[in-house]
Amino acid sequence: MMWTPSGSEEEEAKKRRSEEEEAKKRRSEEATHSLSARCVALAARSRSPISRVLKDGLGRLGRLTVATKFGESFDADLKRFRFASSFIYAAALLIENLTPYVPQYFLPMAAVANVGKSMGLTTYISTQPAFYKSFAKAENIADISAKSQAQQMAIDTLGLALAVSLNLAVKRNASLSRMLPLIMFPILVPGDLFSIYHELRSVHLRTLNVERAELLAAAYVAAGDDGQRCRNGGRIGRIGRRKASGCRHAAAASQPHQTEAVLTPEVVSKMERFVLPSVARSGACPLEIRGLDGRALTEADVARFRVTRGARYLLTRSVDGGSGSGVKDTYTATFRADCKSKDILQVILAMAYLRQGHVDDLGEAERRAARRVPGFIRGLEARGWQCDPFTLAKAERMFYYT
């Protein structure tokens, strides 16, 4: 007799088959989801190196651009470049802190932030040795650099401890913890910029650039003409020797005045600007030093510039129509390839005579500056200024040849 399953057994068999089919379906779906997850992870891993390469590559490109384009001008305006790099670095940090709040723009924002940080860091690293040199009393720049690194490490450690303490204090408040960087940023960054500003004010650079030389020349000319060549000079006759002796005594007496008329590096550090444009350049009779792209002097240049016999420079005056008070005199100077610091100081001294109204004619200003520049240089050296070499920016060193 053949066995036939009962109704309950058939139902159980169908139930088992349906459970097995559902299990197979679940396993298939899990395998599909696993494969999809692996594909997504693989795609993310493939995009991540590209993002890092783009972000880091743009940062390196910014660093290279700063080093090649502005490197030759750093020495001519150390404080201005250093302070400008602090603003750029602060702006880059702000962009970097905002990236978590707009993840869809992560790559462009991170790339811009990396470029800004690289530019600021390159400028800081490039200008720092020159500041160390101003502190050096002997050949101990490495010792000064080591002490500076120790100070920075101590401040970084204190900052890290403060950050950890603040994070621990707000860890139970998720929203406050998330907003903490944005809350602290407007407090810490102005304090950092304020400290850097006064740090740069306390550094007394002894090298001469255009701005410092203009401040020194303005003070020297304003002090009076006591250091001019003695006007008793003339032919040495029967009373000529007495007159010549009077000139020597006057010159000797004028040397203390020449020194006193020159400002010290400490005073100039308080006067020079590294945020706003220079007073001498933005005021009356601004002077622009630019080159002729290293080419030979042509007849057109001779016709354009005032050529002083025996001088290693060219100086011209032009009149620009201003929008406010009418006309404005501007002066352009360019220097010969074999020029000395004396020639640059002579031009700046002549401009000081023009600005202060001592003379109205450019030729007379140049002649007076030529008489006064030796005493001016002696006074600078007596005050501890380093007259040679005179630091010029890259565009100002485009000398001409004859």
Side-chain angles (χ1 to χ4, degrees), residues 147-158:
K147 288 181 170 59
S148 175
Q149 293 294 325
Q151 291 177 358
Q152 290 180 14
M153 190 59 62
I155 296 299
D156 287 345
T157 304
L158 289 174

PDB file of all heavy atoms in Angstrom, residues 147-158:
ATOM      1  N   LYS A 147      66.570  79.093  19.481  1.00  0.00           N
ATOM      2  CA  LYS A 147      65.758  79.691  20.551  1.00  0.00           C
ATOM      3  C   LYS A 147      64.365  80.059  20.055  1.00  0.00           C
ATOM      4  O   LYS A 147      63.372  79.912  20.778  1.00  0.00           O
ATOM      5  CB  LYS A 147      66.469  80.920  21.115  1.00  0.00           C
ATOM      6  CG  LYS A 147      67.698  80.590  21.957  1.00  0.00           C
ATOM      7  CD  LYS A 147      68.342  81.836  22.493  1.00  0.00           C
ATOM      8  CE  LYS A 147      69.412  81.515  23.540  1.00  0.00           C
ATOM      9  NZ  LYS A 147      70.485  80.665  23.027  1.00  0.00           N
ATOM     10  N   SER A 148      64.290  80.531  18.818  1.00  0.00           N
ATOM     11  CA  SER A 148      62.979  80.843  18.250  1.00  0.00           C
ATOM     12  C   SER A 148      62.119  79.587  18.108  1.00  0.00           C
ATOM     13  O   SER A 148      60.917  79.613  18.401  1.00  0.00           O
ATOM     14  CB  SER A 148      63.160  81.518  16.883  1.00  0.00           C
ATOM     15  OG  SER A 148      61.917  81.729  16.253  1.00  0.00           O
ATOM     16  N   GLN A 149      62.744  78.493  17.680  1.00  0.00           N
ATOM     17  CA  GLN A 149      61.998  77.235  17.558  1.00  0.00           C
ATOM     18  C   GLN A 149      61.518  76.753  18.926  1.00  0.00           C
ATOM     19  O   GLN A 149      60.402  76.223  19.049  1.00  0.00           O
ATOM     20  CB  GLN A 149      62.890  76.167  16.911  1.00  0.00           C
ATOM     21  CG  GLN A 149      63.246  76.442  15.465  1.00  0.00           C
ATOM     22  CD  GLN A 149      62.051  76.398  14.553  1.00  0.00           C
ATOM     23  OE1 GLN A 149      61.133  75.611  14.752  1.00  0.00           O
ATOM     24  NE2 GLN A 149      62.041  77.270  13.549  1.00  0.00           N
ATOM     25  N   ALA A 150      62.339  76.933  19.957  1.00  0.00           N
ATOM     26  CA  ALA A 150      61.936  76.532  21.304  1.00  0.00           C
ATOM     27  C   ALA A 150      60.740  77.357  21.785  1.00  0.00           C
ATOM     28  O   ALA A 150      59.803  76.827  22.391  1.00  0.00           O
ATOM     29  CB  ALA A 150      63.120  76.689  22.262  1.00  0.00           C
ATOM     30  N   GLN A 151      60.754  78.670  21.510  1.00  0.00           N
ATOM     31  CA  GLN A 151      59.623  79.511  21.884  1.00  0.00           C
ATOM     32  C   GLN A 151      58.354  79.092  21.156  1.00  0.00           C
ATOM     33  O   GLN A 151      57.264  79.021  21.751  1.00  0.00           O
ATOM     34  CB  GLN A 151      59.952  80.976  21.581  1.00  0.00           C
ATOM     35  CG  GLN A 151      61.024  81.572  22.480  1.00  0.00           C
ATOM     36  CD  GLN A 151      61.371  82.995  22.083  1.00  0.00           C
ATOM     37  OE1 GLN A 151      60.842  83.526  21.114  1.00  0.00           O
ATOM     38  NE2 GLN A 151      62.282  83.612  22.828  1.00  0.00           N
ATOM     39  N   GLN A 152      58.476  78.816  19.870  1.00  0.00           N
ATOM     40  CA  GLN A 152      57.311  78.384  19.102  1.00  0.00           C
ATOM     41  C   GLN A 152      56.761  77.065  19.628  1.00  0.00           C
ATOM     42  O   GLN A 152      55.529  76.887  19.708  1.00  0.00           O
ATOM     43  CB  GLN A 152      57.679  78.245  17.624  1.00  0.00           C
ATOM     44  CG  GLN A 152      57.952  79.560  16.925  1.00  0.00           C
ATOM     45  CD  GLN A 152      58.322  79.374  15.471  1.00  0.00           C
ATOM     46  OE1 GLN A 152      58.139  78.304  14.901  1.00  0.00           O
ATOM     47  NE2 GLN A 152      58.860  80.411  14.859  1.00  0.00           N
ATOM     48  N   MET A 153      57.636  76.145  19.991  1.00  0.00           N
ATOM     49  CA  MET A 153      57.177  74.859  20.510  1.00  0.00           C
ATOM     50  C   MET A 153      56.455  75.035  21.845  1.00  0.00           C
ATOM     51  O   MET A 153      55.430  74.385  22.105  1.00  0.00           O
ATOM     52  CB  MET A 153      58.376  73.918  20.690  1.00  0.00           C
ATOM     53  CG  MET A 153      57.979  72.479  21.006  1.00  0.00           C
ATOM     54  SD  MET A 153      56.934  71.738  19.735  1.00  0.00           S
ATOM     55  CE  MET A 153      58.043  71.783  18.331  1.00  0.00           C
ATOM     56  N   ALA A 154      56.958  75.931  22.684  1.00  0.00           N
ATOM     57  CA  ALA A 154      56.298  76.184  23.967  1.00  0.00           C
ATOM     58  C   ALA A 154      54.903  76.783  23.759  1.00  0.00           C
ATOM     59  O   ALA A 154      53.924  76.356  24.399  1.00  0.00           O
ATOM     60  CB  ALA A 154      57.157  77.125  24.815  1.00  0.00           C
ATOM     61  N   ILE A 155      54.782  77.729  22.835  1.00  0.00           N
ATOM     62  CA  ILE A 155      53.475  78.340  22.555  1.00  0.00           C
ATOM     63  C   ILE A 155      52.534  77.324  21.922  1.00  0.00           C
ATOM     64  O   ILE A 155      51.336  77.268  22.260  1.00  0.00           O
ATOM     65  CB  ILE A 155      53.649  79.569  21.650  1.00  0.00           C
ATOM     66  CG1 ILE A 155      54.450  80.653  22.373  1.00  0.00           C
ATOM     67  CG2 ILE A 155      52.295  80.109  21.217  1.00  0.00           C
ATOM     68  CD1 ILE A 155      53.800  81.164  23.631  1.00  0.00           C
ATOM     69  N   ASP A 156      53.042  76.484  21.018  1.00  0.00           N
ATOM     70  CA  ASP A 156      52.202  75.450  20.399  1.00  0.00           C
ATOM     71  C   ASP A 156      51.686  74.461  21.439  1.00  0.00           C
ATOM     72  O   ASP A 156      50.539  74.011  21.370  1.00  0.00           O
ATOM     73  CB  ASP A 156      52.991  74.712  19.319  1.00  0.00           C
ATOM     74  CG  ASP A 156      53.197  75.557  18.076  1.00  0.00           C
ATOM     75  OD1 ASP A 156      52.504  76.584  17.948  1.00  0.00           O
ATOM     76  OD2 ASP A 156      54.047  75.201  17.251  1.00  0.00           O
ATOM     77  N   THR A 157      52.524  74.123  22.396  1.00  0.00           N
ATOM     78  CA  THR A 157      52.101  73.194  23.454  1.00  0.00           C
ATOM     79  C   THR A 157      51.008  73.800  24.317  1.00  0.00           C
ATOM     80  O   THR A 157      50.020  73.136  24.665  1.00  0.00           O
ATOM     81  CB  THR A 157      53.310  72.809  24.320  1.00  0.00           C
ATOM     82  OG1 THR A 157      54.340  72.254  23.484  1.00  0.00           O
ATOM     83  CG2 THR A 157      52.919  71.776  25.358  1.00  0.00           C
ATOM     84  N   LEU A 158      51.165  75.086  24.657  1.00  0.00           N
ATOM     85  CA  LEU A 158      50.117  75.760  25.429  1.00  0.00           C
ATOM     86  C   LEU A 158      48.808  75.838  24.641  1.00  0.00           C
ATOM     87  O   LEU A 158      47.713  75.643  25.186  1.00  0.00           O
ATOM     88  CB  LEU A 158      50.576  77.165  25.807  1.00  0.00           C
ATOM     89  CG  LEU A 158      51.686  77.261  26.855  1.00  0.00           C
ATOM     90  CD1 LEU A 158      52.133  78.709  27.024  1.00  0.00           C
ATOM     91  CD2 LEU A 158      51.213  76.694  28.191  1.00  0.00           C
TER      92      LEU A 158
END
